[in-house]
Amino acid sequence: QALPARYGGRRVGGGRRFAPRFARAPPTIDLAACKPPLDASASYTLVMVDPDAPSRKAPAFREFVHWCVRDLPSTFAGEGDGGSKTVLSYVGPSPPWGSGAHRYALLLFRQPSSGFDAGAMTAFFAPGRAPLRVGALASACKLELVAFNMFESEWDGSCDAANAALGFVPPDEYKSPAQRADAGLAPLDDALAAAKRPKAGANDDAIEGLGDGGDGGFAPVWEAATALFAFDCETADDDALEALIAALQ
């Protein structure tokens, strides 16, 4: 089912894009709005990942984990609510310059009713945020995927500082003009720079019904996810969601 999520007043889903500067704070997640309702006796884990780091055509850092919260109640409405525990603090989308649109998946998992290993989850993130596989996390902690949503985001002027705060230095191909200057690299040819620059305004408004444009042999989980992203998750075909769940587990 769809995972109800919003950045500010804008709903995640339906092919919407969000500018990174508008997604620096965590999205609002309202589990009580899930349809059908979640099992009130269960606890849940929320994970947000970018499978396109540092770019969709060369995802060497797949997957980059932006957020992980465990022990969510079925009425969860924000970090700390109902005794939820943040495993990995939220960092907003920060796709490198010229790397194109990145997909960001919000995944909600049901934790096992018994035998949930919180220590295994903490250990999973010991190496850092990337490259990781959320499917491996699900297997290690016996998590069951129950809800999903996705949006896209592309570089804006807030990303350089956000990546610097994380200690992430993009590959030379994806350094912004300012980052290239700081690194002592030659400026990009004007034509190349123009070709790699995001279209003006593309991140500022909701964009409905975006297709994928091809992802060159991506793993089945992200092919299935992108098929869902092209539509509104709230009305997506159930078979498509089942394909995503099967690929991820």
Side-chain angles (χ1 to χ4, degrees):
Q1 61 176 288
L3 177 63
R6 291 179 178 273
Y7 278 106
R10 292 178 60 197
R11 181 172 57 85
V12 174
R16 291 178 177 85
R17 286 189 180 185
F18 291 84
R21 65 184 180 277
F22 296 132
R24 291 289 161 230
T28 299
I29 307 293
D30 184 8
L31 296 192
C34 283
K35 297 178 182 179
L38 297 175
D39 181 353
S41 68
S43 295
Y44 299 87
T45 290
L46 173 68
V47 183
M48 175 174 157
V49 300
D50 172 6
D52 300 327
S55 71
R56 191 177 296 197
K57 71 177 183 180
F61 303 147
R62 174 180 292 168
E63 295 138 15
F64 187 99
V65 181
H66 283 257
W67 195 22
C68 181
V69 185
R70 64 175 173 86
D71 299 338
L72 282 66
S74 62
T75 55
F76 177 82
E79 285 186 294
D81 186 24
S84 61
K85 299 174 180 65
T86 299
V87 180
L88 202 61
S89 61
Y90 177 85
V91 294
S94 299
W97 183 86
S99 64
H102 287 221
R103 296 166 293 182
Y104 294 87
L106 290 158
L107 305 161
L108 184 71
F109 296 92
R110 177 175 173 161
Q111 297 172 192
S113 57
S114 63
F116 174 64
D117 190 345
M121 182 172 288
T122 300
F124 181 82
F125 293 112
R129 295 180 181 268
L132 299 173
R133 293 291 187 272
V134 70
L137 173 65
S139 295
C141 297
K142 301 177 181 179
L143 304 175
E144 176 189 359
L145 183 66
V146 294
F148 163 87
N149 215 326
M150 179 177 276
F151 64 95
E152 278 192 342
S153 191
E154 192 167 359
W155 183 92
D156 69 12
S158 72
C159 292
D160 289 2
N163 282 326
L166 284 172
F168 173 67
V169 179
D172 288 353
E173 179 183 359
Y174 302 120
K175 284 184 171 66
S176 69
Q179 288 171 327
R180 292 183 66 85
D182 290 343
L185 298 173
L188 289 172
D189 172 84
D190 287 345
L192 178 59
K196 291 168 72 68
R197 187 177 302 121
K199 293 181 180 178
N203 280 323
D204 295 330
D205 299 307
I207 300 176
E208 304 289 344
L210 290 174
D212 178 44
D215 55 358
F218 276 0
V221 59
W222 298 119
E223 293 174 357
T226 302
L228 281 174
F229 171 76
F231 303 96
D232 191 320
C233 284
E234 292 187 0
T235 58
D237 187 281
D238 287 343
D239 290 340
L241 182 55
E242 288 300 323
L244 170 62
I245 293 171
L248 189 61
Q249 297 296 340

